[in-house]
Amino acid sequence: MSPSRDEVLEAALAGTVDPILQRPLGGLGYLQSVRVKRMGTAVVRLLIPVPGVPGHQLIEAVTAAARSVDGVRSVRVEHELMNDDQRTQLMAAVRGEKRPVGGPGSGTYVVAVSSGKGGVGKSSVTTNLAVSMAARGHSVGVIDADVWGYSIPRMLGADGVPVVVADSILPLRAYGVSVISIDYFVPDGQAVVWRGPMLHKALEQFLTDVFWDDPDFLLIDMPPGTGDVAISISQFVPRARVLLVTTPQPTARRVASRAARMADRVDQKLIGVVENMSWFTGDDGKRYHIFGEGGGAALAEQHEVELLVQVPILPEMRAGADRGEPVSISAPGSEAAKAFDHLAARIVATRPRIRTHPELRIG
């Protein structure tokens, strides 16, 4: 016996991914009733967890899914807002007991992108590595831990305000990457003037209060230096691995080496070196080593790890970052895009039995 139009519609909606929690609607309790009237009008009664833009996105997703069903000519979505108790029950069902992402019992592989020095392109490496990993089918989160020089949201084009459901903060998403940053909580143009305890608390909230949903990878864009933030990260996620970023310049290499020594002191394993700004390829096809040569290889040799990749200077990558576009979008197929794809493959290979998310589900 063939399923009825109501059954087909309900199945289509149950499999629709909620843009708020990134889970199929069928397991979230949003759908109150679903039916198709005689003239082909689909009527969907829906609970939504939050108002505003995210709620509208959910309604739009439901409308689009209903319209895709054979025999549905128009869609009417009747919705009401969840109350506090319903939101609390929702988050308890989805995430269970709160625990730090990457902590004990978590399957998330945490990578701190570090240097010890500013200006070497840690944020650029973090952004483009995350997007390349997501393009390979992995779930990826990014914490912008550079609380003084935050730039990840701009580079990813992840604008907006994080949604809070019950007591959980939902990260913003762009290019398949979830991201949280102090940028979302500080008025535009205002400087962050915090001492160690405030930094420690903010990082704790990013790791514990944000609903990461156990991603395969969590990249942490570290600030320059080996101070409060680095110490706090080593305490919250002691199993984190460290990816060193340098330029070919000897001075940058020497400063980046301090981050490696910091990792060694807190028993965090180095997984390799990225040499950024390695060369510029001119219109004549010749490589120009503007910042010298050999810094990445020397740093890798010094700390007995591999030089994982060399990333060239590419004007399109800089311009794309200002527009919120990763290099895979602003300059697909370029030397830099290929470098980050290669780096993603190398990092993924350091974690065996990686999980992918062909289907999102509760549990």
Side-chain angles (χ1 to χ4, degrees):
M1 183 177 178
S2 299
S4 67
R5 284 192 300 175
D6 286 6
E7 291 170 331
V8 172
L9 176 61
E10 186 169 1
L13 295 180
T16 299
V17 175
D18 168 28
I20 300 171
L21 293 178
Q22 296 297 310
R23 297 289 188 96
L25 296 185
L28 297 176
Y30 291 180
L31 298 174
Q32 300 298 289
S33 65
V34 175
R35 63 192 177 98
V36 182
K37 291 187 172 183
R38 184 174 299 175
M39 299 301 292
T41 298
V43 180
V44 182
R45 293 190 64 247
L46 188 69
L47 276 176
I48 60 173
V50 292
V53 173
H56 293 313
Q57 290 174 338
L58 174 58
I59 293 169
E60 288 171 2
V62 167
T63 301
R67 281 181 178 152
S68 70
V69 174
D70 247 7
V72 172
R73 297 182 177 180
S74 61
V75 181
R76 187 170 82 241
V77 178
E78 300 171 351
H79 64 276
E80 60 180 286
L81 192 63
M82 287 183 176
N83 58 37
D84 289 342
D85 287 342
Q86 289 169 324
R87 281 189 283 267
T88 299
Q89 291 170 12
L90 170 67
M91 294 311 300
V94 168
R95 71 177 300 184
E97 185 180 353
K98 274 189 182 182
R99 52 183 172 80
V101 62
S106 171
T108 298
Y109 189 58
V110 182
V111 177
V113 182
S114 306
S115 176
K117 184 182 188 306
V120 298
K122 292 186 302 296
S123 297
S124 177
V125 168
T126 302
T127 297
N128 287 287
L129 173 58
V131 172
S132 292
M133 283 179 164
R136 287 174 167 267
H138 303 292
S139 55
V140 184
V142 171
I143 291 179
D144 187 355
D146 191 349
V147 293
W148 302 284
Y150 44 84
S151 57
I152 296 285
R154 177 65 179 270
M155 288 184 171
L156 263 178
D159 300 321
V161 178
V163 172
V164 179
V165 179
D167 58 352
S168 294
I169 303 168
L170 306 188
L172 273 70
R173 286 178 61 83
Y175 303 104
V177 175
S178 299
V179 60
I180 201 72
S181 170
I182 199 68
D183 188 12
Y184 298 129
F185 306 97
V186 175
D188 190 36
Q190 182 173 314
V192 177
V193 186
W194 287 356
R195 291 186 181 272
M198 294 180 70
L199 297 172
H200 189 85
K201 182 62 178 176
L203 292 171
E204 182 180 27
Q205 287 186 292
F206 284 173
L207 289 161
T208 305
D209 292 349
V210 174
F211 176 54
W212 293 107
D213 203 16
D214 290 326
D216 296 324
F217 292 94
L218 179 71
L219 305 184
I220 304 178
D221 182 31
M222 300 292 289
T226 54
D228 290 325
V229 172
I231 294 169
S232 293
I233 291 296
S234 72
Q235 293 172 349
F236 289 132
V237 277
R239 296 185 301 152
R241 299 294 187 258
V242 175
L243 179 65
L244 288 178
V245 180
T246 187
T247 66
Q249 190 174 3
T251 300
R253 173 185 63 79
R254 285 195 294 270
V255 179
S257 183
R258 296 170 193 164
R261 295 192 190 101
M262 166 78 183
D264 184 61
R265 289 189 63 177
V266 296
D267 296 321
Q268 289 181 329
K269 182 179 177 181
L270 297 179
I271 55 176
V273 171
V274 174
E275 185 185 86
N276 197 24
M277 309 180 200
S278 297
W279 61 77
F280 171 73
T281 302
D283 293 338
D284 56 3
K286 182 180 177 181
R287 288 181 175 179
Y288 295 88
H289 297 272
I290 296 172
F291 292 101
E293 296 182 68
L299 182 63
E301 182 180 3
Q302 178 184 357
H303 295 284
E304 300 181 340
V305 293
E306 289 187 74
L307 173 60
L308 298 176
V309 75
Q310 292 174 289
V311 181
I313 298 170
L314 188 70
E316 291 90 340
M317 186 162 74
R318 190 279 308 161
D322 289 340
R323 296 192 302 268
E325 294 178 354
V327 70
S328 59
I329 302 299
S330 63
S334 63
E335 283 184 299
K338 290 176 180 177
F340 283 112
D341 187 54
H342 177 73
L343 178 61
R346 297 294 301 273
I347 298 297
V348 167
T350 67
R351 179 184 178 227
R353 298 185 300 277
I354 199 71
R355 293 178 294 115
T356 58
H357 289 264
E359 292 183 3
L360 295 168
R361 61 186 184 278
I362 291 181

